[in-house]
Amino acid sequence: MANMEQQVAGLVLVVDDDEGVRRVLSRWAADMGYTVQAAADADSALDIMREHPVDVALVDVRMPGHDGIWLIEQVGRLFPETAWCSPPVSWKWTRW
């Protein structure tokens, strides 16, 4: 891989109620050089977004309380300059 020690411009917000997924996605974005913030729920994510301009939000769909679909709607309405991505459910760990 290319030199990942170089900081790139941009803040990535990882929103997932699963701590392990938050940690992995946060590490992935940080290893690519992005500044990363993480939130365990939609309300905390909006609080962070009110404090810091977020470039990209990686949003889980299934979360307790307000789900990711609700959060994406709020992001589009309140922060239209923020891009978002909701990872496919298949990205989640599966227990057999």
Side-chain angles (χ1 to χ4, degrees), residues 15-46:
V15 187
D16 201 303
D17 59 311
D18 184 312
E19 182 181 352
V21 173
R22 259 193 336 268
R23 190 173 40 239
V24 167
L25 290 176
S26 294
R27 178 70 180 266
W28 172 71
D31 284 352
M32 290 179 18
Y34 291 97
T35 301
V36 180
Q37 291 276 333
D41 57 62
D43 294 315
S44 298
L46 286 177

Side-chain angles (χ1 to χ4, degrees), residues 38-86:
D41 57 62
D43 294 315
S44 298
L46 286 177
D47 289 342
I48 291 169
M49 295 181 83
R50 287 183 185 105
E51 296 292 321
H52 308 282
V54 171
D55 296 292
V56 177
L58 301 178
V59 180
D60 183 20
V61 172
R62 294 183 188 159
M63 295 185 290
H66 291 118
D67 65 13
I69 301 301
W70 179 87
L71 177 57
I72 290 166
E73 290 170 353
Q74 301 308 305
V75 169
R77 187 172 60 79
L78 299 171
F79 308 100
E81 69 283 357
T82 300
W84 58 268
C85 175
S86 184

